[in-house]
Amino acid sequence: VTLPNKLEYPAEIIGVDKQTDLALIKIKSEEKLSVPKFGNSDKIEVGEWVIAVGNPFGFDRTVSFGIVSGKGRVIPFLPEESRLISDFIQTDAAIDPGTSGGPLVNLKGEVIGINSIGLGRGQGFTIPINTALKVKDKLLASGIIERGWLGLSIQPLNREFARYFGDEELKGILVSDVEPNSPTEKAGLLPGDIILEYQGE
């Protein structure tokens, strides 16, 4: 780990989470390190001004300015282990190679995300800080992340689908795909099924 004053420290890897592309590392510093303030990424609004910080193309500590373009974004063509991330913050602040891992900061100076990937001009995606902090807590506690897995793909039951099923008032979640040998398949759910209720709701 290289600090802004150019001092370098060996880092111990506490844990890695491939799904979010995050790692928890530990260094022993000879000086007191400043700690960033964390915002609440659940409360950010589309249109809010943000600053992306990173080292794009090797230019150290570069900032770019933009807005939150969207929330809850899914990127379908990520590597398989990362496809379950369904809550990216989208921003038009420049996120280029080398910006990944840097913070996304609001105008209060609070970190609200960790920059992940840029997909062309004005299409940057950031891991919400609330997600990153949960990953940190789990890695700190056990060094590993355990997640549940159902093995199904779902989509909203829109009016067009409701008409197809013969009831325009029908509300629920449409099962669009079921993975082989998954808990969903063993439970008997099939593509085309409509989930109407879960745990009494």
Side-chain angles (χ1 to χ4, degrees), residues 71-101:
K71 296 167 57 177
R73 298 298 197 211
V74 179
I75 307 175
F77 46 84
L78 285 176
E80 187 172 346
E81 65 270 14
S82 299
R83 285 182 198 158
L84 297 178
I85 303 174
S86 58
D87 194 25
F88 279 106
I89 299 167
Q90 182 183 355
T91 178
D92 63 354
I95 296 179
D96 295 308
T99 312
S100 300

Side-chain angles (χ1 to χ4, degrees), residues 21-98:
D21 196 25
L22 295 173
L24 179 63
I25 61 174
K26 178 181 179 180
I27 66 171
K28 291 182 179 178
S29 171
E30 297 170 0
E31 59 184 83
K32 187 175 180 180
L33 301 178
S34 58
V35 179
K37 290 187 236 173
F38 296 116
N40 184 346
S41 53
D42 290 339
K43 292 187 176 180
I44 64 170
E45 299 288 342
V46 173
E48 182 177 332
W49 293 103
V50 289
I51 299 169
V53 184
N55 304 321
F57 306 105
F59 295 108
D60 195 23
R61 291 189 297 280
T62 297
V63 299
S64 61
F65 195 51
I67 62 168
V68 173
S69 306
K71 296 167 57 177
R73 298 298 197 211
V74 179
I75 307 175
F77 46 84
L78 285 176
E80 187 172 346
E81 65 270 14
S82 299
R83 285 182 198 158
L84 297 178
I85 303 174
S86 58
D87 194 25
F88 279 106
I89 299 167
Q90 182 183 355
T91 178
D92 63 354
I95 296 179
D96 295 308

